[in-house]
Amino acid sequence: MRKIIRVVNRLLPDRGELPPDVLTRVIPSATLLSAIYYKGLEDGPSFDFVLGTSPLESRMLAHDRKKLGEEDTPEDKARERWLLLLDKLGILGTDEFEVLVVAYLKSGLIEGAAVGRIIDRYLAEDRELAARERFKKFGERSTWHPEVTEAELVEELRGMLPDVGLLDMYGETHLHNEAMSLAGSGDLGQKLVEEWLASFRKRYPAGQEPDLDPNDNYFRRPLHPNIAAELQSMLARKQAGATLLEVCRTVRDDQGWGSRETMFMKSVLPADYEAAILATTGADLKLLLLQSLDFLRNPGVYDVHFGGARQSFLEACRRIAAHEQGSRRAKLIFNVFRDAGMEAQLTPAEETSPAATDGGG
């Protein structure tokens, strides 16, 4: 027991009093893993079992075996005992925290910064759950409890100011609207929006913006104008930071794209494509040309999302082929189109028309 307590104290130094939900998340795992390492259990699981176990999945597999009438092996019975132990301890799953605990027990070295980040994440998740619960209770009280005075509701809203940034943008808009409907709380409504925006900007600084689009609002939920403007500004920054090569890599690797890629590609001009092709070489040039050729070859898949981007690519290739005749880059473009059976597209239609041919004679 003393050894286990020392392990926990090493893992959680100078953290002060942690919320019960966070303690419930970390203490049982640290205790069990320490007991395994110090051989404090007669018939305990291994590290690998604890780290690799999905209790729900394991129970479903056991249930399926019994339905099929299969006899439990000694290993199956041991797994059942260990799953029951995890269940009693409230260990519903494991993540990087348990991996760090095992690494510390084996090596005696602790990654304090990594453990600190994990605990901070648990604390943030705990606060977020609490904020959502307060939001839910406020909605119930403001709607279904007419005995609650407006002054009491205003005070509840004021108490939510520090954690309002943990709500989503639609929940925040609802709180603002509630504040504006209560007598004498217009300033509070504005403060709620300002606090949410300040938290949002801190969470997502420039270059780390999430993939959020105020236009993707299928349920037509109201959104505060200031929040909508912030999201539009964020999307504009993301679009400005995108490149053709980046978009091509995203489409190739993820087999999909988001609003950032869609907005960027719809704005691409032939000059943009030409500059990108001329500035790129090696594996990047290969990716840019082949993925863009796929855009050109499959208009039914891409045009609705990328607008005229494929035509901009084709026009850029035509320009390079015409202006840099004989260059290795022009030859490369021709070879790529030829291998795809599309070399005819490099010649504009008017140049291959009968009238154009006769004029040359």
Side-chain angles (χ1 to χ4, degrees):
M1 289 297 295
R2 284 195 297 270
K3 290 178 179 178
I4 291 173
I5 291 171
R6 280 199 295 272
V7 169
V8 173
N9 286 336
R10 286 290 311 278
L11 292 168
L12 306 174
D14 306 321
R15 295 299 311 200
E17 186 174 347
L18 292 170
D21 287 345
V22 176
L23 292 175
T24 301
R25 171 64 186 84
V26 299
I27 298 297
S29 294
T31 300
L32 174 61
L33 292 170
S34 300
I36 293 170
Y37 181 75
Y38 292 118
K39 298 180 172 52
L41 298 174
E42 277 189 27
D43 180 31
S46 65
F47 283 156
D48 289 340
F49 179 84
V50 177
L51 295 180
T53 296
S54 170
L56 178 60
E57 181 180 336
S58 297
R59 290 195 180 284
M60 289 176 64
L61 290 173
H63 178 69
D64 290 342
R65 284 199 308 274
K66 289 177 181 177
K67 281 180 64 177
L68 294 172
E70 296 180 8
E71 290 290 329
D72 283 342
T73 65
E75 291 79 11
D76 292 333
K77 292 178 181 178
R79 287 177 63 84
E80 277 295 311
R81 290 194 301 272
W82 297 338
L83 285 170
L84 183 60
L85 174 62
L86 294 180
D87 196 42
K88 287 181 177 179
L89 291 172
I91 300 174
L92 305 179
T94 59
D95 61 17
E96 62 266 40
F97 174 73
E98 283 75 18
V99 173
L100 286 174
V101 173
V102 170
Y104 164 60
L105 289 168
K106 288 181 175 180
S107 68
L109 302 174
I110 189 165
E111 295 185 49
V115 174
R117 285 193 297 271
I118 294 170
I119 299 302
D120 288 339
R121 175 165 62 81
Y122 292 160
L123 285 168
E125 290 171 354
D126 190 60
R127 283 183 63 204
E128 188 170 340
L129 290 173
R132 290 178 183 174
E133 187 63 23
R134 291 176 70 185
F135 171 72
K136 179 182 175 183
K137 287 181 178 178
F138 174 83
E140 291 175 354
R141 283 167 60 78
S142 65
T143 303
W144 300 108
H145 290 265
E147 76 278 7
V148 179
T149 67
E150 290 199 353
E152 289 173 323
L153 292 174
V154 169
E155 284 307 306
E156 287 186 32
L157 279 176
R158 201 178 304 280
M160 296 176 72
L161 266 173
D163 292 331
V164 73
L166 300 173
L167 301 176
D168 66 28
M169 54 189 174
Y170 301 108
E172 158 53 26
T173 298
H174 177 76
L175 282 188
H176 168 268
N177 293 342
E178 286 287 315
M180 298 303 290
S181 71
L182 298 171
S185 60
D187 290 345
L188 176 58
Q190 189 58 35
K191 285 182 181 178
L192 287 166
V193 173
E194 291 171 357
E195 286 292 328
W196 190 91
L197 287 172
S199 176
F200 181 79
R201 290 163 185 155
K202 184 177 180 181
R203 184 183 299 185
Y204 302 113
Q208 300 179 29
E209 296 92 343
D211 192 15
L212 294 175
D213 187 342
N215 300 312
D216 294 340
N217 186 3
Y218 301 109
F219 299 105
R220 300 187 181 278
R221 290 176 290 179
L223 189 61
H224 190 278
N226 290 4
I227 295 177
E230 179 70 19
L231 295 182
Q232 290 288 5
S233 175
M234 177 195 71
L235 285 174
R237 291 195 302 271
K238 290 182 69 176
Q239 180 182 347
T243 67
L244 276 164
L245 180 62
E246 207 175 82
V247 172
C248 288
R249 182 171 286 114
T250 296
V251 175
R252 183 198 65 181
D253 294 347
D254 299 345
Q255 296 296 301
W257 52 87
S259 57
R260 177 194 188 199
E261 290 77 18
T262 297
M263 291 178 66
F264 176 79
M265 291 300 281
K266 284 182 176 180
S267 69
V268 168
L269 300 174
D272 299 322
Y273 245 120
E274 185 176 1
I277 294 171
L278 293 175
T280 311
T281 188
D284 289 342
L285 180 59
K286 178 181 179 181
L287 167 62
L288 179 64
L289 289 177
L290 294 184
Q291 186 58 59
S292 298
L293 196 68
D294 190 56
F295 299 157
L296 184 62
R297 187 185 302 155
N298 297 288
V301 175
Y302 297 108
D303 277 10
V304 66
H305 302 285
F306 293 170
R310 70 182 182 90
Q311 195 60 37
S312 293
F313 166 67
L314 178 58
E315 180 59 31
C317 290
R318 287 172 174 174
R319 291 181 184 180
I320 295 172
H323 299 160
E324 298 194 17
Q325 290 185 16
S327 72
R328 295 191 64 223
R329 195 173 297 265
K331 290 178 180 177
L332 170 62
I333 289 173
F334 177 81
N335 290 338
V336 167
F337 274 75
R338 182 199 60 200
D339 292 345
M342 301 169 67
E343 66 269 27
Q345 294 198 35
L346 285 174
T347 304
E350 59 272 16
E351 293 183 17
T352 58
S353 65
T357 305
D358 292 343

